[in-house]
PDB file of all heavy atoms in Angstrom:
ATOM      1  N   GLY A  23      18.355  17.726 -25.621  1.00 95.00           N
ATOM      2  CA  GLY A  23      19.553  17.533 -24.816  1.00 95.00           C
ATOM      3  C   GLY A  23      20.397  18.750 -24.486  1.00 95.00           C
ATOM      4  O   GLY A  23      21.551  18.586 -24.147  1.00 95.00           O
ATOM      5  N   GLY A  24      19.882  19.943 -24.534  1.00 91.00           N
ATOM      6  CA  GLY A  24      20.677  21.134 -24.212  1.00 91.00           C
ATOM      7  C   GLY A  24      20.768  21.398 -22.720  1.00 91.00           C
ATOM      8  O   GLY A  24      19.872  21.042 -21.956  1.00 91.00           O
ATOM      9  N   PRO A  25      21.856  22.049 -22.276  1.00 89.00           N
ATOM     10  CA  PRO A  25      22.054  22.314 -20.845  1.00 89.00           C
ATOM     11  C   PRO A  25      20.962  23.193 -20.233  1.00 89.00           C
ATOM     12  O   PRO A  25      20.670  23.075 -19.049  1.00 89.00           O
ATOM     13  CB  PRO A  25      23.422  22.996 -20.773  1.00 89.00           C
ATOM     14  CG  PRO A  25      23.707  23.474 -22.152  1.00 89.00           C
ATOM     15  CD  PRO A  25      22.949  22.577 -23.088  1.00 89.00           C
ATOM     16  N   GLU A  26      20.330  24.029 -21.017  1.00 91.00           N
ATOM     17  CA  GLU A  26      19.258  24.889 -20.507  1.00 91.00           C
ATOM     18  C   GLU A  26      18.019  24.079 -20.136  1.00 91.00           C
ATOM     19  O   GLU A  26      17.126  24.573 -19.448  1.00 91.00           O
ATOM     20  CB  GLU A  26      18.900  25.967 -21.530  1.00 91.00           C
ATOM     21  CG  GLU A  26      18.221  25.466 -22.785  1.00 91.00           C
ATOM     22  CD  GLU A  26      19.118  24.779 -23.811  1.00 91.00           C
ATOM     23  OE1 GLU A  26      20.357  24.784 -23.640  1.00 91.00           O
ATOM     24  OE2 GLU A  26      18.576  24.229 -24.778  1.00 91.00           O
ATOM     25  N   GLN A  27      17.958  22.842 -20.553  1.00 95.00           N
ATOM     26  CA  GLN A  27      16.785  22.012 -20.278  1.00 95.00           C
ATOM     27  C   GLN A  27      16.732  21.514 -18.834  1.00 95.00           C
ATOM     28  O   GLN A  27      15.674  21.074 -18.372  1.00 95.00           O
ATOM     29  CB  GLN A  27      16.729  20.837 -21.249  1.00 95.00           C
ATOM     30  CG  GLN A  27      16.520  21.248 -22.681  1.00 95.00           C
ATOM     31  CD  GLN A  27      15.255  22.060 -22.878  1.00 95.00           C
ATOM     32  OE1 GLN A  27      14.203  21.745 -22.311  1.00 95.00           O
ATOM     33  NE2 GLN A  27      15.339  23.112 -23.672  1.00 95.00           N
ATOM     34  N   ALA A  28      17.828  21.589 -18.106  1.00 94.00           N
ATOM     35  CA  ALA A  28      17.814  21.184 -16.691  1.00 94.00           C
ATOM     36  C   ALA A  28      16.816  22.037 -15.911  1.00 94.00           C
ATOM     37  O   ALA A  28      16.044  21.528 -15.101  1.00 94.00           O
ATOM     38  CB  ALA A  28      19.213  21.278 -16.091  1.00 94.00           C
ATOM     39  N   ARG A  29      16.794  23.319 -16.183  1.00 96.00           N
ATOM     40  CA  ARG A  29      15.849  24.213 -15.515  1.00 96.00           C
ATOM     41  C   ARG A  29      14.415  23.844 -15.883  1.00 96.00           C
ATOM     42  O   ARG A  29      13.517  23.826 -15.037  1.00 96.00           O
ATOM     43  CB  ARG A  29      16.136  25.666 -15.891  1.00 96.00           C
ATOM     44  CG  ARG A  29      15.134  26.642 -15.288  1.00 96.00           C
ATOM     45  CD  ARG A  29      15.401  28.049 -15.703  1.00 96.00           C
ATOM     46  NE  ARG A  29      15.592  28.050 -17.158  1.00 96.00           N
ATOM     47  CZ  ARG A  29      16.041  29.072 -17.852  1.00 96.00           C
ATOM     48  NH1 ARG A  29      16.350  30.188 -17.262  1.00 96.00           N
ATOM     49  NH2 ARG A  29      16.175  29.003 -19.157  1.00 96.00           N
ATOM     50  N   ASN A  30      14.177  23.548 -17.154  1.00 97.00           N
ATOM     51  CA  ASN A  30      12.833  23.167 -17.586  1.00 97.00           C
ATOM     52  C   ASN A  30      12.385  21.851 -16.937  1.00 97.00           C
ATOM     53  O   ASN A  30      11.216  21.694 -16.569  1.00 97.00           O
ATOM     54  CB  ASN A  30      12.767  23.066 -19.102  1.00 97.00           C
ATOM     55  CG  ASN A  30      12.979  24.408 -19.763  1.00 97.00           C
ATOM     56  OD1 ASN A  30      12.690  25.449 -19.182  1.00 97.00           O
ATOM     57  ND2 ASN A  30      13.502  24.392 -20.976  1.00 97.00           N
ATOM     58  N   ALA A  31      13.308  20.922 -16.784  1.00 97.00           N
ATOM     59  CA  ALA A  31      12.982  19.654 -16.125  1.00 97.00           C
ATOM     60  C   ALA A  31      12.646  19.878 -14.651  1.00 97.00           C
ATOM     61  O   ALA A  31      11.688  19.290 -14.134  1.00 97.00           O
ATOM     62  CB  ALA A  31      14.146  18.671 -16.269  1.00 97.00           C
ATOM     63  N   ARG A  32      13.412  20.723 -13.950  1.00 96.00           N
ATOM     64  CA  ARG A  32      13.102  21.043 -12.544  1.00 96.00           C
ATOM     65  C   ARG A  32      11.716  21.679 -12.435  1.00 96.00           C
ATOM     66  O   ARG A  32      10.946  21.348 -11.530  1.00 96.00           O
ATOM     67  CB  ARG A  32      14.147  21.981 -11.950  1.00 96.00           C
ATOM     68  CG  ARG A  32      15.439  21.331 -11.590  1.00 96.00           C
ATOM     69  CD  ARG A  32      16.325  22.262 -10.771  1.00 96.00           C
ATOM     70  NE  ARG A  32      16.505  23.569 -11.367  1.00 96.00           N
ATOM     71  CZ  ARG A  32      17.445  23.893 -12.247  1.00 96.00           C
ATOM     72  NH1 ARG A  32      18.308  22.984 -12.645  1.00 96.00           N
ATOM     73  NH2 ARG A  32      17.531  25.112 -12.710  1.00 96.00           N
ATOM     74  N   ARG A  33      11.403  22.589 -13.345  1.00 97.00           N
ATOM     75  CA  ARG A  33      10.090  23.247 -13.321  1.00 97.00           C
ATOM     76  C   ARG A  33       8.974  22.221 -13.532  1.00 97.00           C
ATOM     77  O   ARG A  33       7.946  22.256 -12.856  1.00 97.00           O
ATOM     78  CB  ARG A  33      10.027  24.343 -14.383  1.00 97.00           C
ATOM     79  CG  ARG A  33       8.743  25.170 -14.308  1.00 97.00           C
ATOM     80  CD  ARG A  33       8.734  26.319 -15.297  1.00 97.00           C
ATOM     81  NE  ARG A  33       9.855  27.209 -15.085  1.00 97.00           N
ATOM     82  CZ  ARG A  33      10.717  27.593 -16.043  1.00 97.00           C
ATOM     83  NH1 ARG A  33      10.560  27.177 -17.282  1.00 97.00           N
ATOM     84  NH2 ARG A  33      11.704  28.395 -15.770  1.00 97.00           N
ATOM     85  N   PHE A  34       9.169  21.309 -14.458  1.00 97.00           N
ATOM     86  CA  PHE A  34       8.204  20.241 -14.727  1.00 97.00           C
ATOM     87  C   PHE A  34       7.937  19.432 -13.451  1.00 97.00           C
ATOM     88  O   PHE A  34       6.791  19.238 -13.048  1.00 97.00           O
ATOM     89  CB  PHE A  34       8.757  19.350 -15.849  1.00 97.00           C
ATOM     90  CG  PHE A  34       8.016  18.058 -16.075  1.00 97.00           C
ATOM     91  CD1 PHE A  34       6.736  18.049 -16.601  1.00 97.00           C
ATOM     92  CD2 PHE A  34       8.627  16.847 -15.797  1.00 97.00           C
ATOM     93  CE1 PHE A  34       6.062  16.849 -16.831  1.00 97.00           C
ATOM     94  CE2 PHE A  34       7.969  15.648 -16.023  1.00 97.00           C
ATOM     95  CZ  PHE A  34       6.689  15.652 -16.529  1.00 97.00           C
ATOM     96  N   VAL A  35       8.992  18.987 -12.795  1.00 97.00           N
ATOM     97  CA  VAL A  35       8.853  18.188 -11.579  1.00 97.00           C
ATOM     98  C   VAL A  35       8.216  19.015 -10.469  1.00 97.00           C
ATOM     99  O   VAL A  35       7.301  18.555  -9.781  1.00 97.00           O
ATOM    100  CB  VAL A  35      10.223  17.628 -11.136  1.00 97.00           C
ATOM    101  CG1 VAL A  35      10.117  16.940  -9.779  1.00 97.00           C
ATOM    102  CG2 VAL A  35      10.771  16.666 -12.192  1.00 97.00           C
TER     103      VAL A  35
END
Side-chain angles (χ1 to χ4, degrees):
E26 69 284 353
Q27 295 302 318
R29 177 182 48 191
N30 295 333
R32 284 191 309 272
R33 186 176 302 128
F34 169 69
V35 173

